[in-house]
């Protein structure tokens, strides 16, 4: 894990390479201030001010950087991330102004997952200086939360099973003096029957469990954060094809988001009483796998006919959301890599957001846009509830229509959230299929910062 404290540092006038950020409208004026050799270097590198491009120019015995951005006066989170990936190791500062939001992208752009490499890169860090010293800790905390999601999702399932998720929760509890409770074995079967049913086919080393963490002053408003922890999803007896299993190590991405959000909440000492709930399982295949056509009784007492064993995430979340509801929180947020239908609808970059309350949905959407972590709301449409009808049980986990898959999954989960509770659900991908500046291919946090900034606004009145 990269030392984030080394990448963003207070500007105390130390020696640093200057970053001249230029929009296309300002390129002509910038060129007028250059010497003839500098203009020649700029032309040789074919720099035209395009966003994401840069050129290195001589300056006496040293050098400086000209970098294209869309608007130098309004930097985005990711506009300097490419520089952090490609510039030589060293220390840098803006020639004019502060990095602002772009400081996070500068850190995130230097992420690499090298746990399994025998010869990882030893290239030194690119350090960015800032005069906004009070903002450094918050930026580092967000970068560490993003890296936590990436590391957990990128780790193969053999090394990231239910036990490892439990260890992550225990590490957080130790760091922030929180309380952890783990339910497993016969007690899990009795109290969380759907979590047990989905996970019971896994080997002993990856046995299912329900992970809970509680933190904060009981006098503060109670919130629940729930994350889907399917550490590997074979599809169960409705087995996935080989190509469909290749990314299934990421099916615990919801749990990774929930752990990262809990870390942000506790680290900032947000004035809430936090209840983190993670059902952790491996959806494996063996002689005791749950079957299509089985009827499961949930913690809530609702009976569920299994239409498809590959619709397992909503089952474990059903029990987890029931548990969260029992504490009567004023807000429940869950994260889950739940449906392919959401990816068809909004693609890999946009988490699909479902919410009971319009005000909560809008607050999350606005927060996401403000911090370059956009989400897209999809409907909890009552008219689709009929798609989940069962002839022999209270509800079917998969439905039979073939339509509105993301919405019907959300409606299934809605049955397990107590009536009247403010609830928001992220159907997130937790994965980048292609690299973008600051966001390498692989596991990633999508919707995390939107939720975090919404919570800050809601419980402190500040925008982070």
């Amino acid at each position: 894990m990269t030392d984030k404290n080394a990448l963003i540092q207070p500007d105390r006038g130390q020696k640093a390479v200057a970053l001249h950020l230029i929009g296309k409208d300002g390129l002509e004026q910038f060129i007028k201030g250059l010497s003839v050799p500098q203009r020649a270097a700029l032309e040789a590198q074919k720099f035209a001010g395009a966003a994401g491009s840069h050129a290195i120019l001589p300056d006496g015995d040293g050098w400086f950087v000209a970098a294209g951005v869309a608007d130098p006066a309004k930097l985005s989170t990711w506009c300097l991330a490419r520089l952090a990936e490609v510039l030589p190791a060293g220390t840098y500062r803006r020639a004019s102004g502060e990095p602002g939001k772009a400081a996070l992208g500068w850190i995130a752009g230097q992420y690499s997952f090298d746990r399994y490499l025998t010869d990882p890169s030893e290239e030194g860090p690119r350090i960015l200086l800032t005069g906004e010293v009070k903002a450094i800790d918050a930026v580092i905390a967000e970068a560490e939360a993003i890296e936590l999601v990436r590391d957990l999702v990128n780790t193969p399932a053999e090394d990231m099973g239910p036990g490892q998720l439990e260890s992550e929760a225990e590490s957080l509890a130790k760091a922030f003096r929180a309380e952890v409770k783990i339910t497993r074995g016969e007690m899990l079967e009795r109290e969380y029957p759907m979590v047990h049913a989905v996970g019971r086919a896994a080997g002993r080393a990856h046995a299912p469990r329900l992970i809970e963490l509680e933190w904060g002053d009981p006098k503060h408003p109670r919130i629940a954060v729930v994350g889907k922890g399917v550490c590997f999803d074979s599809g169960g007896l409705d087995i996935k094809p080989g190509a469909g299993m290749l990314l299934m190590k990421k099916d615990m991405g919801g749990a990774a988001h929930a752990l990262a959000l809990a870390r942000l909440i506790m680290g900032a000492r947000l004035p809430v009483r936090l209840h983190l709930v993670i059902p952790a399982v491996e959806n494996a295949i063996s002689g005791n796998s749950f079957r299509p056509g089985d009827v499961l009784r949930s913690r809530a007492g609702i009976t569920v006919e299994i239409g498809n064993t590959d619709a397992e995430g909503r089952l474990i979340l059903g029990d987890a959301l029931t548990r969260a509801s029992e504490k009567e929180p004023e807000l429940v947020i869950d994260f889950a890599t739940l449906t392919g239908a959401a990816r068809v609808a909004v693609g890999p970059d946009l988490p699909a957001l479902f919410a009971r309350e319009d005000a909560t949905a809008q607050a999350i959407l606005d927060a996401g846009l403000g911090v370059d972590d956009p989400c897209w709301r999809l409907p909890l449409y009552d008219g689709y509830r009929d798609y989940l009808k069962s002839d022999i049980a209270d509800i079917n986990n998969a439905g039979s229509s073939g339509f509105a898959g993301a919405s019907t999954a959300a409606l299934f989960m809605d049955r397990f959230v107590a009536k009247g509770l403010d609830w928001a659900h992220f159907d997130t991908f937790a994965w980048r299929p292609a690299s973008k500046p600051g966001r390498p291919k692989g596991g990633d946090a999508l919707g995390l910062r939107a939720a975090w900034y919404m919570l800050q606004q809601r419980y402190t009145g500040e925008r982070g």
Side-chain angles (χ1 to χ4, degrees):
M1 183 176 284
T2 306
D3 181 5
K4 303 298 173 296
N5 294 286
L7 301 181
I8 300 292
Q9 297 182 12
D11 191 342
R12 299 189 175 94
Q14 57 267 58
K15 184 178 179 180
V17 175
L19 300 175
H20 292 262
L21 305 185
I22 306 157
K24 283 190 174 182
D25 292 343
L27 180 61
E28 184 176 348
Q29 187 64 34
F30 174 74
I31 292 174
K32 288 180 180 179
L34 299 179
S35 66
V36 172
Q38 289 169 342
R39 292 181 187 181
L42 196 73
E43 184 176 351
Q45 295 172 71
K46 299 180 180 180
F47 179 78
S53 64
H54 78 282
I56 292 177
L57 306 180
D59 186 20
D61 293 333
W63 50 280
F64 64 91
V65 179
V69 296
D71 184 354
K74 190 177 180 181
L75 301 186
S76 72
T77 301
W78 309 111
C79 66
L80 300 185
R82 180 62 178 162
L83 291 177
E85 296 171 10
V86 300
L87 287 177
T91 301
Y92 299 85
R93 69 160 59 84
R94 278 194 71 177
S96 177
E98 296 292 343
K101 290 165 58 175
L104 177 63
W106 183 274
I107 302 176
Q110 298 183 63
Y111 171 83
S112 63
F113 184 71
D114 56 14
R115 174 174 175 176
Y116 298 96
L117 296 179
T118 55
D119 187 22
S121 171
E122 296 182 0
E123 186 173 2
R126 293 93 171 176
I127 298 167
L128 184 63
L129 303 179
T130 176
E132 297 173 332
V133 177
K134 291 182 179 180
I136 292 177
D137 286 347
V139 171
I140 290 173
E142 286 184 44
E144 288 177 339
I146 291 171
E147 181 162 307
L148 176 62
V149 174
R150 290 175 176 178
D151 281 348
L152 295 180
V153 174
N154 284 331
T155 302
E158 182 63 19
D159 295 328
M160 187 50 62
Q164 284 74 29
L165 290 182
E166 177 182 331
S167 294
E168 290 292 335
E170 289 176 338
S171 295
L172 284 180
K174 183 177 181 180
F176 297 106
R177 297 183 180 180
E179 300 174 357
V180 170
K181 177 183 177 182
I182 308 299
T183 306
R184 56 166 68 86
E186 292 182 1
M187 186 171 291
L188 183 76
E189 183 176 5
R190 183 168 59 251
E191 296 189 3
Y192 302 96
M194 292 201 296
V195 178
H196 174 265
V198 172
R200 71 192 185 199
R204 181 178 298 179
H206 287 180
R209 66 206 69 193
L210 187 94
I211 302 163
E212 295 180 86
L213 177 149
E214 291 220 38
W215 171 89
D217 189 337
K219 297 178 182 178
H220 287 157
R222 175 176 285 276
I223 67 170
V225 177
V226 181
K228 173 188 170 185
V230 178
C231 296
F232 190 81
D233 181 19
S234 69
L237 292 178
D238 287 309
I239 189 170
K240 294 178 184 290
M245 286 194 218
L246 286 177
L247 288 183
M248 283 303 99
K249 68 177 184 179
K250 78 170 187 65
D251 213 19
M252 39 61 65
H257 281 70
L259 287 163
L261 183 57
R263 178 175 180 161
L264 286 168
I265 290 169
M266 294 187 290
R269 300 198 64 80
L270 198 70
V272 298
R273 177 64 171 175
L274 170 66
H275 184 202
L276 173 70
V277 187
I278 295 175
V281 303
E282 179 175 336
N283 187 18
I285 300 171
S286 73
N288 66 338
S289 296
F290 75 117
R291 312 165 191 83
D294 282 354
V295 174
L296 306 182
R297 185 171 294 276
S298 66
R299 180 177 178 86
I302 299 168
T303 57
V304 181
E305 181 186 10
I306 303 304
N308 193 310
T309 62
D310 198 19
E312 84 298 330
R314 66 198 71 180
L315 296 173
I316 66 171
L317 287 167
D319 276 352
L321 290 167
T322 299
R323 174 58 177 162
S325 297
E326 291 166 359
K327 298 276 191 172
E328 298 183 349
E330 69 165 48
L331 174 66
V332 180
I333 299 175
D334 81 73
F335 295 88
T337 52
L338 204 63
T339 68
R343 307 286 67 81
V344 172
V346 297
D349 291 353
L350 293 171
L353 172 66
F354 297 85
R356 285 177 170 176
E357 301 292 335
D358 291 342
T360 298
Q362 195 60 52
I364 293 171
L365 294 173
D366 290 345
L369 288 175
V371 297
D372 304 309
D373 186 21
C375 312
W376 202 270
R377 191 181 185 187
L378 293 183
L380 275 173
Y381 175 55
D382 277 343
Y384 293 154
R385 291 187 190 274
D386 286 349
Y387 292 166
L388 293 169
K389 281 186 174 179
S390 166
D391 293 333
I392 62 172
D394 297 327
I395 194 171
N396 189 291
N397 78 317
S400 59
S401 73
F403 296 119
S407 288
T408 54
L411 288 167
F412 178 93
M413 292 162 55
D414 179 73
R415 283 288 301 270
F416 298 89
V417 181
K419 291 183 179 180
L421 286 185
D422 189 358
W423 169 57
H425 157 55
F426 287 87
D427 190 336
T428 186
F429 196 38
W431 190 264
R432 294 273 176 194
S435 295
K436 294 186 176 183
R439 293 150 289 179
K441 181 180 178 180
D444 207 1
L446 298 163
L448 170 66
R449 295 171 59 243
W452 170 228
Y453 276 75
M454 181 278 290
L455 289 174
Q456 289 183 84
Q457 176 69 27
R458 180 164 175 158
Y459 292 106
T460 71
E462 300 176 2
R463 294 192 63 85

